[in-house]
Amino acid sequence: MSMSVAERKLVVETWVKAVEETKQHLMVQVGGAPFPDVIELAKHASSLPVNSILCLPELYFKPTTPKQLIEYLEIVGEAAPKTPLLYYHFPVMTNVNIHMGRFLESIGDKIPSFVGIKFTSSNLEEGVQALRADNRKFSIFLGNNQLVPAAYAMGMDSFILNSLNMFPELVLNLLTVCKNGDMIKANDMQEKLSSAVIAIMKHVNGTSGEGMSMSVVERKLVTEAWVKAVKETKQHLMIQVGGAPLPDVIELAKHASNLHVDSILCLPELYFKPTTPKELIEYLEIVGKAAPKTPLLYYHIPMLTNVNIHMGQFLESIGDKIPSFVGIKFTSNNLEEGAQALHAGNGKFVIFLGNDQLMNAASVLGFDSFIVTTINIFPEHIQQLLAVYKNGDILKAKDIQEKLTSAVIAIMKHGNWVQSMKVAMALLTDINMGLPRLPLKPISSDAVAIMTKELTNLGHQPKVKHY
C-alpha cells in the first residue's frame, strides 16, 4: 500500500518468475489504492499466471454494509473473472468492521470468482461463523499470528501468517502439533511465538471532488484544468494530493507545485495510519519536501480517515519542522479541539473549518476561514451567514445556520455526502455534477424524489431537469 502501481506490478512479475521454480501458490494483494488502480492491478495479476488475488476494501469511502462490500468486490471480480478472488478482512488497519459471517451468507454466487477471505482479526466467534457460512463453501485463511491453536480448535486449518517469514520452524512446528492434537504443547509454542511477535511489534513504531477515487493521471488532468480556469477567475487554487499510496502523493505534490498552485492540502496515510503527532509530522515532512515552495495544509477529516490525532497537540508539536506548513482544514464536529488548534502556536496557523453545520458556533469561537461544500449549493446563504455574524447579529446568524443545517440534513440522509451532494447540486444549481465515481453508487430515484420534496418544503426550488 506504500508502493506505486508500477512498483506493485514489478513485484508481482518478480514473484511470478520466482514461483516457477518454487511451485508455491501465488496470491497477489491488489487493494489499498484508488479504485482505478485496484482494477488495473487486478487485470495485471489476472493476465499473469497467479493463482489468486486478495483485495482490501475501499479505504476512504469505506463500505459499511455487506451489500456495499459485495458491490465493490463484484467490480474487482469482473476485472479478473478467471482468477480466484478473496477478500482481505483486516479491521484493525482498514476500520471496515463488516461481520464476515453475515457478509459470506449474503454473497452467495453473486461473484463467480469469489472463493473466500483472509481473516486477520481477534474475533474468533466471528471467524467461526465465517467458516460455517453457506455450508462451509468458502476458504477462510487466518491471518492472526497469536491465535493459531485457538483457531485450530474451532475448525480453522488454513493460515497466512507473516510470522512464518521470521520464525518458519516455530510456526511450522506449531501447525504440526495442532494437527496432531497436542493442545498443551501447542499452547506453549503459541506463547513463545506471541512473545516474539510482541517483542518485534513494540519496537516498530478533496472529498467532494472524489480525488481518492481517481487515478494519478486523472488527478493531474483535473489540476491542470483548474490551473487554466483560475487564470480568469483569480481564485486561490488549493489542490488535495493525499488519499493515495505515498509515491503517488509525492508525484501529485510535485506536479501541483510545478504548476505554481497557491497551496496543497494533504490527507494522512490511509492504511498505515499515523497514531501520534510525531508520525503524522514525519509523513507531512516527506510531502513538504516534494513541494518545498508551495504552502502545505493537513486535511483533518477523522470520520472518513479514522485518524484521530488531536489537532491542537499536533500543531503545538509541529513547530517549524516543515517550513512550508501553514495550517489545516478541520472537518470535525469537535469544536473544543478546533479551538485548541486555532490557538496553537500563538495562533500562527490558518484553520479552515470544513463542517457546514457548525459555522455559526465556530465563528463565535474565533473561526473566520471556511471550506464548505454547501457554498456550491447555497452560496447566498453562506455569504449572508458570514456577513450577519460579522455585523454581530448572533440571533439572525443562528436562524440562517438552522435553515442551512436543515437543508444539509435533508440532503445527507440519503447516503454518503458525495452521492447526495451531487444530486443536490443538480437539483438546486445549473451544474450537473454527473454520477458519483465508483466505488460509490448513485442514490435511488425514490431517494431523489424524497430529497426534492423535502427541499421544496424547506422553501427551496429544486429542478428535476437532470433526473
Side-chain angles (χ1 to χ4, degrees), residues 249-320:
V249 174
I250 292 169
E251 183 178 344
L252 289 167
K254 289 179 177 178
H255 176 258
S257 183
N258 289 338
L259 293 173
H260 305 293
V261 304
D262 297 294
S263 58
I264 57 177
L265 181 68
C266 189
L267 285 160
E269 165 64 34
L270 298 179
Y271 188 76
F272 295 112
K273 295 178 174 64
T275 57
T276 65
K278 181 175 181 289
E279 290 174 352
L280 179 56
I281 290 167
E282 289 172 348
Y283 182 85
L284 292 173
E285 277 183 313
I286 299 169
V287 180
K289 287 176 183 176
K293 296 181 180 179
T294 307
L296 169 66
L297 297 97
Y298 170 61
Y299 189 177
H300 180 63
I301 184 166
M303 65 179 286
L304 284 173
T305 64
N306 200 42
V307 173
N308 290 292
I309 294 167
H310 190 283
M311 285 296 97
Q313 295 166 6
F314 161 68
L315 291 174
E316 289 291 357
S317 301
I318 198 167
D320 298 314

Side-chain angles (χ1 to χ4, degrees), residues 159-466:
F159 303 87
I160 301 176
L161 307 171
N162 53 20
S163 57
L164 185 62
N165 301 303
M166 297 175 280
F167 313 106
E169 291 184 5
L170 181 55
V171 174
L172 292 172
N173 286 340
L174 172 58
L175 294 175
T176 300
V177 169
C178 286
K179 191 174 182 179
N180 293 336
D182 190 345
M183 286 303 160
I184 294 177
K185 188 175 180 180
N187 285 335
D188 180 58
M189 295 176 73
Q190 176 68 75
E191 286 182 9
K192 291 179 182 178
L193 177 62
S194 295
S195 297
V197 170
I198 290 169
I200 292 169
M201 289 172 65
K202 248 186 348 188
H203 294 91
V204 175
N205 282 5
T207 306
S208 296
E210 300 176 277
M212 286 62 69
S213 297
M214 289 191 285
S215 68
V216 171
V217 171
E218 290 170 323
R219 291 175 73 165
K220 286 182 176 180
L221 288 172
V222 170
T223 300
E224 291 162 13
W226 271 104
V227 166
K228 291 178 183 176
V230 298
K231 285 179 180 177
E232 295 186 17
T233 63
K234 308 303 181 187
Q235 292 168 284
H236 179 108
L237 182 58
M238 179 188 292
I239 301 295
Q240 202 290 113
V241 299
L246 185 57
D248 294 346
V249 174
I250 292 169
E251 183 178 344
L252 289 167
K254 289 179 177 178
H255 176 258
S257 183
N258 289 338
L259 293 173
H260 305 293
V261 304
D262 297 294
S263 58
I264 57 177
L265 181 68
C266 189
L267 285 160
E269 165 64 34
L270 298 179
Y271 188 76
F272 295 112
K273 295 178 174 64
T275 57
T276 65
K278 181 175 181 289
E279 290 174 352
L280 179 56
I281 290 167
E282 289 172 348
Y283 182 85
L284 292 173
E285 277 183 313
I286 299 169
V287 180
K289 287 176 183 176
K293 296 181 180 179
T294 307
L296 169 66
L297 297 97
Y298 170 61
Y299 189 177
H300 180 63
I301 184 166
M303 65 179 286
L304 284 173
T305 64
N306 200 42
V307 173
N308 290 292
I309 294 167
H310 190 283
M311 285 296 97
Q313 295 166 6
F314 161 68
L315 291 174
E316 289 291 357
S317 301
I318 198 167
D320 298 314
K321 293 184 176 73
I322 306 174
S324 61
F325 185 82
V326 295
I328 65 174
K329 178 181 177 185
F330 186 81
T331 304
S332 168
N333 59 11
N334 188 339
L335 286 184
E336 181 180 359
E337 178 187 353
Q340 290 182 48
L342 200 62
H343 298 127
N346 294 317
K348 70 180 282 189
F349 301 108
V350 60
I351 313 296
F352 291 94
L353 183 74
N355 189 314
D356 305 80
Q357 300 181 58
L358 295 175
M359 293 178 65
N360 187 43
S363 296
V364 174
L365 291 170
F367 282 83
D368 59 5
S369 302
F370 304 88
I371 302 175
V372 288
T373 306
T374 47
I375 199 167
N376 299 299
I377 309 172
F378 308 108
E380 293 177 0
H381 281 67
I382 302 294
Q383 291 171 341
Q384 187 183 12
L385 170 60
L386 296 176
V388 166
Y389 176 77
K390 192 174 182 180
N391 292 333
D393 192 340
I394 303 299
L395 291 178
K396 190 172 181 182
K398 180 174 177 288
D399 180 59
I400 297 171
Q401 178 70 75
E402 286 179 358
K403 290 178 180 176
L404 177 63
T405 298
S406 296
V408 169
I409 291 171
I411 294 167
M412 286 182 64
K413 71 198 303 184
H414 299 290
N416 177 286
W417 172 236
V418 173
Q419 296 163 296
S420 304
M421 173 273 301
K422 285 199 162 195
V423 173
M425 283 280 287
L427 293 175
L428 296 169
T429 76
D430 292 326
I431 303 171
N432 179 12
M433 298 296 293
L435 299 175
R437 197 74 186 272
L438 289 171
L440 297 181
K441 297 289 186 69
I443 67 174
S444 68
S445 56
D446 289 343
V448 175
I450 294 170
M451 185 192 297
T452 301
K453 182 179 179 182
E454 292 185 350
L455 289 170
T456 301
N457 292 341
L458 290 170
H460 302 286
Q461 297 178 325
K463 306 167 188 175
V464 197
K465 57 187 175 184
H466 297 304

